[in-house]
Amino acid sequence: MADETIGIVGAGIVGLATGREIALRRPGTRVVVFEKEQQVSLHQTGHNSGVVHAGIYYKPGSLKANLTVRGVALLREYCQERELPYKEIGKLVMAVRQDELGRMENLYQRSRNNHVPDLRKVSQDEIKELEPNAGGIAALHSPRTAITDYPAIAREFAKDITGSGGEVKLGFPVTGITDVPGGIEVASGQQRVKVDRLILCAGLQSDSVAKLAQDKREPKIIPFRGEYMLLKPDRTHLVRGLVYPVPDPRYPFLGVHFTPRVDGTVEVGPNAVMALAREGYTLAKVSPRDLLGIAAYPGSWRMAAQHWRTGIKEYRGALSVTAFMRDAGLYVPGVGPKDVVRGGAGVRAQALDRDGTLVDDFRIHRTGRITAVRNAPSPAATASMAIAEHIVDAAFGDA
């Protein structure tokens, strides 16, 4: 129906991309985005590293793989049209030990299956040509991997929504979702808005908002804080492009890496420690309610039993700059604690199943008039425009 009103909970980059996609694909439809904060893209999008991933890491055939590869093409074109930053600075995924070469080869095969453009293996000598200050015994080079400004892209998506007659309702924390005759009522305190269909893109609050909509309880969101160091301005020249480790396949995190930003700064990080609040960007931010929810969930204890050693190591890095930089120095030798200052932090909404499994792939499903995004961590920003296509296909599959 062309005169429908479609509600979207969450004004991060995925929610805003979805609103834009609906407006483009279904002219006459009114989009209303509900956001609890006073600005868009404040949480995961606003704390994103800015990397446009090429599709190296993801299981072939998965939603992550398929949507990332398509998402890159859509995002590049959009940035060019809107004159937004998009710089293909390239990425090295480096092995620093012999026992990493097998994992690197597996990544190479995944990349080929995912059709990552122009990816190639490089030798130790070739590493030095690309990154003169880097260590490593072998690497994969992805010259098309880029950096961008995701908050700027999200703001542009919001303009697209309002420009098509839609609305982004800021300061509207959703407190109730109720089926009513002919639609769904979305409440924030005493305010009520009726919509015909509803899409949940609530990020760090996705399981809580899904509960309001009577969706299934799992997976549960566990917040992981990623902390960054910044290279001092007189040391940023040591890194030309993105420098990454070969990731541990047991975890959905990519490890501490060097990330040039579009503003000229260079980040080192992130680590991955369980945050003590869903929006816990510092060690001091503690939410008893969030902690109680984590402690009451069986999957939390099963995850802890499997990965407690890694957790201790990550917390050690959070408390000590020396420990944090120990691994980073393997990839750019000579860079140590004296070369960095503490930077910002982000919190990743990591979905966790009841059996303690960290959910890796995107999870998106529809129940009646409601479509819920239950897991969309990195590379969701890269894939946002393709995720939006997927969501709209799911939400309007009967239309």
Side-chain angles (χ1 to χ4, degrees), residues 71-121:
V72 171
L74 294 172
L75 196 70
R76 183 193 307 115
E77 182 179 358
Y78 187 81
C79 288
Q80 290 171 347
E81 287 177 357
R82 302 301 175 93
E83 298 184 343
L84 295 167
Y86 190 96
K87 301 178 181 180
E88 291 184 345
I89 63 172
K91 174 196 283 187
L92 282 175
V93 181
M94 292 199 309
V96 295
R97 298 186 300 270
Q98 289 291 330
D99 62 3
E100 294 178 330
L101 293 176
R103 281 190 275 148
M104 192 183 81
E105 179 62 28
N106 290 338
L107 280 183
Y108 178 70
Q109 295 303 326
R110 279 194 171 192
S111 301
R112 287 175 59 87
N113 289 331
N114 292 339
H115 307 290
V116 175
D118 302 326
L119 186 102
R120 65 189 182 96
K121 300 177 186 179

Short mmCIF file of all heavy atoms in Angstrom, two decimals, residues 71-121:
data_model
loop_
_atom_site.label_atom_id
_atom_site.label_comp_id
_atom_site.label_asym_id
_atom_site.label_seq_id
_atom_site.Cartn_x
_atom_site.Cartn_y
_atom_site.Cartn_z
N GLY A 71 27.15 -4.50 -0.36
CA GLY A 71 27.11 -3.24 0.37
C GLY A 71 28.24 -2.30 0.04
O GLY A 71 28.06 -1.07 -0.01
N VAL A 72 29.44 -2.85 -0.18
CA VAL A 72 30.59 -2.02 -0.55
C VAL A 72 30.30 -1.24 -1.82
O VAL A 72 30.56 -0.03 -1.90
CB VAL A 72 31.86 -2.89 -0.72
CG1 VAL A 72 32.99 -2.06 -1.32
CG2 VAL A 72 32.30 -3.47 0.61
N ALA A 73 29.79 -1.93 -2.83
CA ALA A 73 29.52 -1.26 -4.11
C ALA A 73 28.48 -0.16 -3.95
O ALA A 73 28.62 0.94 -4.50
CB ALA A 73 29.05 -2.30 -5.13
N LEU A 74 27.43 -0.44 -3.19
CA LEU A 74 26.38 0.56 -2.97
C LEU A 74 26.91 1.76 -2.19
O LEU A 74 26.61 2.92 -2.51
CB LEU A 74 25.21 -0.07 -2.22
CG LEU A 74 24.42 -1.16 -2.95
CD1 LEU A 74 23.43 -1.82 -2.00
CD2 LEU A 74 23.69 -0.58 -4.17
N LEU A 75 27.72 1.48 -1.17
CA LEU A 75 28.24 2.55 -0.32
C LEU A 75 29.22 3.44 -1.09
O LEU A 75 29.18 4.67 -0.98
CB LEU A 75 28.94 1.95 0.89
CG LEU A 75 29.21 2.88 2.06
CD1 LEU A 75 27.92 3.27 2.75
CD2 LEU A 75 30.14 2.22 3.06
N ARG A 76 30.07 2.82 -1.89
CA ARG A 76 31.03 3.60 -2.68
C ARG A 76 30.30 4.55 -3.63
O ARG A 76 30.63 5.74 -3.71
CB ARG A 76 31.93 2.67 -3.50
CG ARG A 76 33.01 3.40 -4.30
CD ARG A 76 33.69 2.50 -5.32
NE ARG A 76 34.22 1.29 -4.73
CZ ARG A 76 33.78 0.07 -5.01
NH1 ARG A 76 32.79 -0.10 -5.88
NH2 ARG A 76 34.33 -0.99 -4.45
N GLU A 77 29.29 4.04 -4.31
CA GLU A 77 28.52 4.87 -5.25
C GLU A 77 27.81 6.00 -4.52
O GLU A 77 27.79 7.15 -4.99
CB GLU A 77 27.52 4.00 -5.99
CG GLU A 77 26.70 4.75 -7.03
CD GLU A 77 25.73 3.85 -7.77
OE1 GLU A 77 25.70 2.64 -7.51
OE2 GLU A 77 24.99 4.39 -8.63
N TYR A 78 27.23 5.70 -3.35
CA TYR A 78 26.52 6.72 -2.59
C TYR A 78 27.47 7.82 -2.14
O TYR A 78 27.15 9.02 -2.24
CB TYR A 78 25.84 6.08 -1.37
CG TYR A 78 24.93 7.01 -0.60
CD1 TYR A 78 23.63 7.25 -1.03
CD2 TYR A 78 25.36 7.63 0.57
CE1 TYR A 78 22.79 8.11 -0.34
CE2 TYR A 78 24.53 8.48 1.28
CZ TYR A 78 23.24 8.72 0.82
OH TYR A 78 22.42 9.57 1.51
N CYS A 79 28.63 7.43 -1.64
CA CYS A 79 29.60 8.44 -1.19
C CYS A 79 30.07 9.32 -2.33
O CYS A 79 30.26 10.53 -2.17
CB CYS A 79 30.80 7.75 -0.52
SG CYS A 79 30.42 7.04 1.11
N GLN A 80 30.26 8.72 -3.50
CA GLN A 80 30.66 9.51 -4.66
C GLN A 80 29.57 10.49 -5.05
O GLN A 80 29.84 11.67 -5.34
CB GLN A 80 31.00 8.57 -5.82
CG GLN A 80 32.28 7.78 -5.60
CD GLN A 80 32.49 6.70 -6.64
OE1 GLN A 80 31.59 6.35 -7.42
NE2 GLN A 80 33.69 6.13 -6.68
N GLU A 81 28.31 10.04 -5.04
CA GLU A 81 27.20 10.91 -5.42
C GLU A 81 27.04 12.09 -4.46
O GLU A 81 26.76 13.21 -4.87
CB GLU A 81 25.89 10.11 -5.44
CG GLU A 81 25.76 9.15 -6.60
CD GLU A 81 24.47 8.35 -6.52
OE1 GLU A 81 23.73 8.51 -5.51
OE2 GLU A 81 24.20 7.57 -7.45
N ARG A 82 27.26 11.83 -3.16
CA ARG A 82 27.02 12.85 -2.14
C ARG A 82 28.30 13.57 -1.72
O ARG A 82 28.29 14.38 -0.80
CB ARG A 82 26.36 12.22 -0.91
CG ARG A 82 25.04 11.52 -1.20
CD ARG A 82 24.01 12.46 -1.81
NE ARG A 82 22.80 11.76 -2.20
CZ ARG A 82 21.72 11.62 -1.45
NH1 ARG A 82 21.71 12.14 -0.22
NH2 ARG A 82 20.67 10.99 -1.89
N GLU A 83 29.40 13.25 -2.37
CA GLU A 83 30.69 13.86 -2.07
C GLU A 83 31.07 13.67 -0.59
O GLU A 83 31.53 14.59 0.09
CB GLU A 83 30.68 15.35 -2.45
CG GLU A 83 30.47 15.58 -3.95
CD GLU A 83 30.55 17.04 -4.35
OE1 GLU A 83 30.45 17.92 -3.46
OE2 GLU A 83 30.73 17.32 -5.55
N LEU A 84 30.87 12.45 -0.13
CA LEU A 84 31.27 12.06 1.21
C LEU A 84 32.62 11.36 1.16
O LEU A 84 32.99 10.79 0.14
CB LEU A 84 30.21 11.12 1.81
CG LEU A 84 28.83 11.74 2.05
CD1 LEU A 84 27.81 10.65 2.34
CD2 LEU A 84 28.89 12.74 3.19
N PRO A 85 33.39 11.38 2.25
CA PRO A 85 34.73 10.77 2.22
C PRO A 85 34.67 9.28 1.90
O PRO A 85 33.85 8.54 2.47
CB PRO A 85 35.25 11.00 3.65
CG PRO A 85 34.43 12.11 4.20
CD PRO A 85 33.08 12.01 3.55
N TYR A 86 35.53 8.85 1.01
CA TYR A 86 35.68 7.42 0.69
C TYR A 86 37.07 7.24 0.09
O TYR A 86 37.30 7.65 -1.05
CB TYR A 86 34.60 6.95 -0.29
CG TYR A 86 34.55 5.45 -0.46
CD1 TYR A 86 33.65 4.68 0.27
CD2 TYR A 86 35.41 4.80 -1.34
CE1 TYR A 86 33.59 3.31 0.13
CE2 TYR A 86 35.36 3.43 -1.50
CZ TYR A 86 34.46 2.69 -0.76
OH TYR A 86 34.41 1.31 -0.90
N LYS A 87 37.99 6.67 0.87
CA LYS A 87 39.38 6.56 0.44
C LYS A 87 39.82 5.11 0.46
O LYS A 87 39.82 4.46 1.50
CB LYS A 87 40.28 7.39 1.37
CG LYS A 87 39.96 8.86 1.44
CD LYS A 87 40.87 9.60 2.41
CE LYS A 87 40.54 11.07 2.50
NZ LYS A 87 41.43 11.79 3.46
N GLU A 88 40.19 4.61 -0.69
CA GLU A 88 40.70 3.24 -0.78
C GLU A 88 42.18 3.25 -0.43
O GLU A 88 43.04 3.46 -1.29
CB GLU A 88 40.46 2.67 -2.18
CG GLU A 88 38.98 2.43 -2.48
CD GLU A 88 38.72 1.78 -3.82
OE1 GLU A 88 39.66 1.76 -4.66
OE2 GLU A 88 37.60 1.29 -4.03
N ILE A 89 42.48 3.03 0.85
CA ILE A 89 43.87 3.09 1.31
C ILE A 89 44.50 1.70 1.42
O ILE A 89 45.70 1.59 1.64
CB ILE A 89 43.98 3.82 2.66
CG1 ILE A 89 43.22 3.07 3.75
CG2 ILE A 89 43.49 5.25 2.53
CD1 ILE A 89 43.45 3.63 5.14
N GLY A 90 43.70 0.66 1.27
CA GLY A 90 44.23 -0.70 1.27
C GLY A 90 44.43 -1.26 2.67
O GLY A 90 44.58 -0.54 3.65
N LYS A 91 44.47 -2.59 2.71
CA LYS A 91 44.64 -3.30 3.99
C LYS A 91 45.62 -4.44 3.82
O LYS A 91 45.58 -5.18 2.83
CB LYS A 91 43.30 -3.86 4.46
CG LYS A 91 43.41 -4.75 5.71
CD LYS A 91 42.17 -5.58 5.93
CE LYS A 91 41.04 -4.76 6.49
NZ LYS A 91 39.87 -5.62 6.87
N LEU A 92 46.51 -4.60 4.81
CA LEU A 92 47.35 -5.78 4.94
C LEU A 92 46.84 -6.62 6.10
O LEU A 92 46.70 -6.11 7.22
CB LEU A 92 48.81 -5.40 5.20
CG LEU A 92 49.65 -4.94 4.02
CD1 LEU A 92 51.02 -4.48 4.51
CD2 LEU A 92 49.82 -6.06 3.00
N VAL A 93 46.56 -7.88 5.86
CA VAL A 93 46.26 -8.84 6.93
C VAL A 93 47.51 -9.69 7.08
O VAL A 93 47.82 -10.52 6.22
CB VAL A 93 45.03 -9.70 6.60
CG1 VAL A 93 44.75 -10.67 7.74
CG2 VAL A 93 43.83 -8.83 6.32
N MET A 94 48.26 -9.47 8.16
CA MET A 94 49.62 -10.00 8.27
C MET A 94 49.74 -11.17 9.24
O MET A 94 49.17 -11.15 10.34
CB MET A 94 50.58 -8.89 8.73
CG MET A 94 50.78 -7.81 7.71
SD MET A 94 52.27 -6.86 8.04
CE MET A 94 52.06 -6.45 9.76
N ALA A 95 50.49 -12.15 8.82
CA ALA A 95 50.92 -13.23 9.70
C ALA A 95 52.30 -12.86 10.27
O ALA A 95 53.18 -12.45 9.52
CB ALA A 95 51.01 -14.55 8.94
N VAL A 96 52.44 -12.98 11.58
CA VAL A 96 53.73 -12.68 12.22
C VAL A 96 54.38 -13.94 12.77
O VAL A 96 55.53 -13.89 13.22
CB VAL A 96 53.58 -11.63 13.34
CG1 VAL A 96 53.13 -10.29 12.76
CG2 VAL A 96 52.62 -12.10 14.42
N ARG A 97 53.67 -15.08 12.73
CA ARG A 97 54.21 -16.35 13.20
C ARG A 97 53.89 -17.44 12.19
O ARG A 97 52.89 -17.37 11.47
CB ARG A 97 53.62 -16.73 14.57
CG ARG A 97 53.92 -15.76 15.69
CD ARG A 97 53.41 -16.31 17.03
NE ARG A 97 51.97 -16.52 17.00
CZ ARG A 97 51.09 -15.59 17.33
NH1 ARG A 97 51.48 -14.38 17.72
NH2 ARG A 97 49.79 -15.86 17.29
N GLN A 98 54.71 -18.47 12.16
CA GLN A 98 54.51 -19.57 11.21
C GLN A 98 53.16 -20.24 11.40
O GLN A 98 52.52 -20.65 10.43
CB GLN A 98 55.64 -20.61 11.38
CG GLN A 98 56.99 -20.16 10.88
CD GLN A 98 57.06 -20.03 9.36
OE1 GLN A 98 56.36 -20.74 8.64
NE2 GLN A 98 57.91 -19.13 8.88
N ASP A 99 52.71 -20.35 12.66
CA ASP A 99 51.45 -21.06 12.91
C ASP A 99 50.23 -20.27 12.44
O ASP A 99 49.10 -20.77 12.50
CB ASP A 99 51.31 -21.44 14.38
CG ASP A 99 51.28 -20.24 15.32
OD1 ASP A 99 51.29 -19.09 14.83
OD2 ASP A 99 51.24 -20.46 16.54
N GLU A 100 50.42 -19.05 11.96
CA GLU A 100 49.31 -18.26 11.42
C GLU A 100 49.15 -18.43 9.92
O GLU A 100 48.14 -17.99 9.34
CB GLU A 100 49.51 -16.79 11.74
CG GLU A 100 49.45 -16.45 13.22
CD GLU A 100 49.71 -14.99 13.50
OE1 GLU A 100 50.47 -14.36 12.72
OE2 GLU A 100 49.18 -14.49 14.50
N LEU A 101 50.10 -19.06 9.27
CA LEU A 101 50.07 -19.14 7.81
C LEU A 101 48.90 -19.98 7.30
O LEU A 101 48.31 -19.66 6.27
CB LEU A 101 51.39 -19.70 7.28
CG LEU A 101 52.62 -18.80 7.51
CD1 LEU A 101 53.89 -19.51 7.02
CD2 LEU A 101 52.45 -17.47 6.79
N GLY A 102 48.56 -21.05 8.03
CA GLY A 102 47.43 -21.87 7.64
C GLY A 102 46.12 -21.09 7.71
O GLY A 102 45.28 -21.17 6.81
N ARG A 103 45.96 -20.30 8.78
CA ARG A 103 44.75 -19.48 8.92
C ARG A 103 44.70 -18.41 7.84
O ARG A 103 43.63 -18.07 7.32
CB ARG A 103 44.72 -18.83 10.29
CG ARG A 103 44.25 -19.76 11.40
CD ARG A 103 44.01 -19.00 12.68
NE ARG A 103 45.21 -18.83 13.46
CZ ARG A 103 45.47 -17.79 14.23
NH1 ARG A 103 44.63 -16.78 14.30
NH2 ARG A 103 46.58 -17.72 14.93
N MET A 104 45.88 -17.87 7.49
CA MET A 104 45.92 -16.86 6.43
C MET A 104 45.51 -17.47 5.10
O MET A 104 44.78 -16.84 4.31
CB MET A 104 47.32 -16.25 6.34
CG MET A 104 47.37 -15.00 5.48
SD MET A 104 49.04 -14.33 5.30
CE MET A 104 49.65 -15.42 4.01
N GLU A 105 45.94 -18.70 4.85
CA GLU A 105 45.54 -19.37 3.62
C GLU A 105 44.04 -19.60 3.58
O GLU A 105 43.39 -19.44 2.52
CB GLU A 105 46.28 -20.71 3.49
CG GLU A 105 45.93 -21.53 2.25
CD GLU A 105 46.27 -20.83 0.94
OE1 GLU A 105 47.22 -20.01 0.92
OE2 GLU A 105 45.59 -21.09 -0.07
N ASN A 106 43.45 -19.97 4.72
CA ASN A 106 41.99 -20.13 4.78
C ASN A 106 41.28 -18.82 4.46
O ASN A 106 40.26 -18.81 3.76
CB ASN A 106 41.58 -20.64 6.16
CG ASN A 106 41.99 -22.07 6.41
OD1 ASN A 106 42.23 -22.83 5.47
ND2 ASN A 106 42.08 -22.46 7.67
N LEU A 107 41.82 -17.71 4.98
CA LEU A 107 41.24 -16.40 4.66
C LEU A 107 41.33 -16.10 3.17
O LEU A 107 40.41 -15.54 2.58
CB LEU A 107 41.96 -15.29 5.44
CG LEU A 107 41.58 -15.06 6.90
CD1 LEU A 107 42.38 -13.86 7.43
CD2 LEU A 107 40.10 -14.80 7.06
N TYR A 108 42.45 -16.47 2.59
CA TYR A 108 42.63 -16.23 1.16
C TYR A 108 41.57 -16.98 0.35
O TYR A 108 40.96 -16.42 -0.58
CB TYR A 108 44.03 -16.66 0.73
CG TYR A 108 44.30 -16.50 -0.74
CD1 TYR A 108 44.43 -15.24 -1.31
CD2 TYR A 108 44.43 -17.62 -1.57
CE1 TYR A 108 44.67 -15.08 -2.66
CE2 TYR A 108 44.66 -17.48 -2.92
CZ TYR A 108 44.78 -16.22 -3.47
OH TYR A 108 45.03 -16.07 -4.82
N GLN A 109 41.32 -18.23 0.74
CA GLN A 109 40.32 -19.01 0.02
C GLN A 109 38.93 -18.44 0.23
O GLN A 109 38.11 -18.39 -0.70
CB GLN A 109 40.38 -20.48 0.47
CG GLN A 109 41.68 -21.19 0.11
CD GLN A 109 41.98 -21.17 -1.38
OE1 GLN A 109 41.08 -21.21 -2.22
NE2 GLN A 109 43.27 -21.09 -1.72
N ARG A 110 38.63 -17.98 1.45
CA ARG A 110 37.35 -17.34 1.70
C ARG A 110 37.20 -16.09 0.82
O ARG A 110 36.13 -15.83 0.25
CB ARG A 110 37.23 -16.93 3.17
CG ARG A 110 36.83 -18.04 4.09
CD ARG A 110 36.39 -17.51 5.45
NE ARG A 110 35.81 -18.59 6.24
CZ ARG A 110 35.14 -18.44 7.35
NH1 ARG A 110 34.94 -17.21 7.84
NH2 ARG A 110 34.63 -19.47 8.00
N SER A 111 38.26 -15.32 0.74
CA SER A 111 38.23 -14.09 -0.04
C SER A 111 37.94 -14.37 -1.51
O SER A 111 37.18 -13.64 -2.16
CB SER A 111 39.55 -13.34 0.10
OG SER A 111 39.81 -13.02 1.44
N ARG A 112 38.55 -15.42 -2.02
CA ARG A 112 38.31 -15.80 -3.42
C ARG A 112 36.84 -16.20 -3.62
O ARG A 112 36.20 -15.80 -4.59
CB ARG A 112 39.23 -16.94 -3.83
CG ARG A 112 40.68 -16.49 -4.02
CD ARG A 112 41.59 -17.69 -4.30
NE ARG A 112 41.18 -18.41 -5.50
CZ ARG A 112 41.56 -18.12 -6.74
NH1 ARG A 112 42.35 -17.07 -6.95
NH2 ARG A 112 41.16 -18.83 -7.77
N ASN A 113 36.32 -16.98 -2.67
CA ASN A 113 34.92 -17.40 -2.76
C ASN A 113 33.96 -16.22 -2.64
O ASN A 113 32.87 -16.23 -3.21
CB ASN A 113 34.60 -18.43 -1.68
CG ASN A 113 35.26 -19.77 -1.95
OD1 ASN A 113 35.49 -20.15 -3.09
ND2 ASN A 113 35.58 -20.51 -0.90
N ASN A 114 34.39 -15.20 -1.89
CA ASN A 114 33.56 -14.01 -1.71
C ASN A 114 33.81 -12.94 -2.77
O ASN A 114 33.22 -11.86 -2.70
CB ASN A 114 33.80 -13.41 -0.32
CG ASN A 114 33.28 -14.29 0.79
OD1 ASN A 114 32.41 -15.13 0.58
ND2 ASN A 114 33.80 -14.11 2.00
N HIS A 115 34.70 -13.23 -3.72
CA HIS A 115 34.99 -12.32 -4.84
C HIS A 115 35.50 -10.96 -4.35
O HIS A 115 35.11 -9.91 -4.88
CB HIS A 115 33.75 -12.14 -5.73
CG HIS A 115 33.15 -13.43 -6.19
ND1 HIS A 115 33.78 -14.25 -7.11
CD2 HIS A 115 32.00 -14.06 -5.84
CE1 HIS A 115 33.04 -15.33 -7.33
NE2 HIS A 115 31.96 -15.24 -6.56
N VAL A 116 36.39 -11.00 -3.37
CA VAL A 116 37.02 -9.77 -2.90
C VAL A 116 37.92 -9.24 -4.01
O VAL A 116 38.82 -9.95 -4.48
CB VAL A 116 37.83 -10.02 -1.62
CG1 VAL A 116 38.59 -8.76 -1.21
CG2 VAL A 116 36.91 -10.48 -0.50
N PRO A 117 37.73 -8.02 -4.47
CA PRO A 117 38.45 -7.54 -5.65
C PRO A 117 39.94 -7.31 -5.40
O PRO A 117 40.32 -6.74 -4.38
CB PRO A 117 37.75 -6.21 -5.99
CG PRO A 117 37.14 -5.76 -4.70
CD PRO A 117 36.76 -7.02 -3.97
N ASP A 118 40.75 -7.81 -6.32
CA ASP A 118 42.19 -7.52 -6.39
C ASP A 118 42.99 -8.01 -5.19
O ASP A 118 44.15 -7.61 -5.02
CB ASP A 118 42.41 -6.00 -6.56
CG ASP A 118 41.72 -5.44 -7.78
OD1 ASP A 118 41.64 -6.16 -8.79
OD2 ASP A 118 41.25 -4.29 -7.74
N LEU A 119 42.42 -8.89 -4.36
CA LEU A 119 43.17 -9.40 -3.22
C LEU A 119 44.29 -10.32 -3.70
O LEU A 119 44.10 -11.11 -4.62
CB LEU A 119 42.25 -10.18 -2.29
CG LEU A 119 42.95 -10.63 -1.00
CD1 LEU A 119 42.57 -9.72 0.15
CD2 LEU A 119 42.60 -12.07 -0.66
N ARG A 120 45.47 -10.21 -3.06
CA ARG A 120 46.58 -11.08 -3.42
C ARG A 120 47.44 -11.37 -2.21
O ARG A 120 47.41 -10.65 -1.21
CB ARG A 120 47.43 -10.44 -4.52
CG ARG A 120 48.13 -9.17 -4.10
CD ARG A 120 48.79 -8.47 -5.27
NE ARG A 120 49.51 -7.27 -4.84
CZ ARG A 120 50.82 -7.22 -4.58
NH1 ARG A 120 51.56 -8.32 -4.73
NH2 ARG A 120 51.40 -6.10 -4.20
N LYS A 121 48.20 -12.47 -2.31
CA LYS A 121 49.18 -12.80 -1.29
C LYS A 121 50.44 -11.99 -1.54
O LYS A 121 50.82 -11.76 -2.70
CB LYS A 121 49.53 -14.29 -1.35
CG LYS A 121 48.37 -15.23 -1.12
CD LYS A 121 48.85 -16.67 -1.28
CE LYS A 121 47.70 -17.65 -1.22
NZ LYS A 121 48.16 -19.05 -1.40
#
